[in-house]
Amino acid sequence: MIEMPKESDEYARPARPPDTSNLTEVRDASRHCTACHLHKRATQTVFGEGPKSASIMMVGEQPGDSEDVAGKPFVGPAGKIMDQALEEAGIDRSRVYVTNTVKHFKWEPRGKRRIHQKPNSREIAACRPWLEAELRIVKPKLVVAMGATAAQTIFGAGFRVTRERGKVLSSKLAPRVLATVHPSSLLRQPDEASREREYRHFVADLRAALRAAEE
């Protein structure tokens, strides 16, 4: 006999978004997602946000602590850096669709803080149908994959952002994709000079994304 998993066990199975082109219906359905165990410890699902007509879709890894509380993507420290870089690159965030590969916050306690944990391949695979639904409905001209998790979800496990960043590439999941770093990586730079250099590189990638989306 196969033993059913206990409520405390980790599990992951593919999510089942509704078969509709109505983005609001898909977003509403995602709020009740229990496809993997991450929903148990997260405050809420953090679905993508932005216009259905967006020509650029920006994809990160997963919501952080601020996003988990607010229920909106990229509103924490990394989001503030992203907003600043978008503005400098000439991109209006309100016209961009912003989302994450994984829609629930994965964390571990450290004192009173909740520390981000990288989602594993099973958790990413469980959440992938939500990203596929967003791509199918929004149909962006260009996807900006921010960080290794987003890029490898789109291109496969062997993809390296450091080798391919800033290039417009094609994948099975989206016809035109540009990979860059996750804005949170800028917060982890060891000194001000490194942060400034990496920030400039990030802005340059976003400018390349804007040019590609306008072609």
Side-chain angles (χ1 to χ4, degrees), residues 4 6 55 73 76 165 172 180 194:
M4 290 299 288
K6 300 181 185 71
S55 60
R165 72 178 292 182
K172 290 179 181 176
T180 186
S194 300

Side-chain angles (χ1 to χ4, degrees), residues 21-24 27 47-58 73 91-99 133-142:
S21 59
N22 187 313
L23 192 57
T24 302
R27 181 180 289 109
F47 201 71
E49 190 173 69
K52 186 179 172 180
S53 59
S55 60
I56 296 175
M57 179 183 287
M58 303 188 71
I91 300 172
D92 182 352
R93 172 164 172 169
S94 69
R95 299 178 67 181
V96 172
Y97 189 91
V98 182
T99 192
E134 289 172 299
L135 288 165
R136 174 176 56 79
I137 295 168
V138 178
K139 296 183 181 68
K141 290 182 180 176
L142 181 79

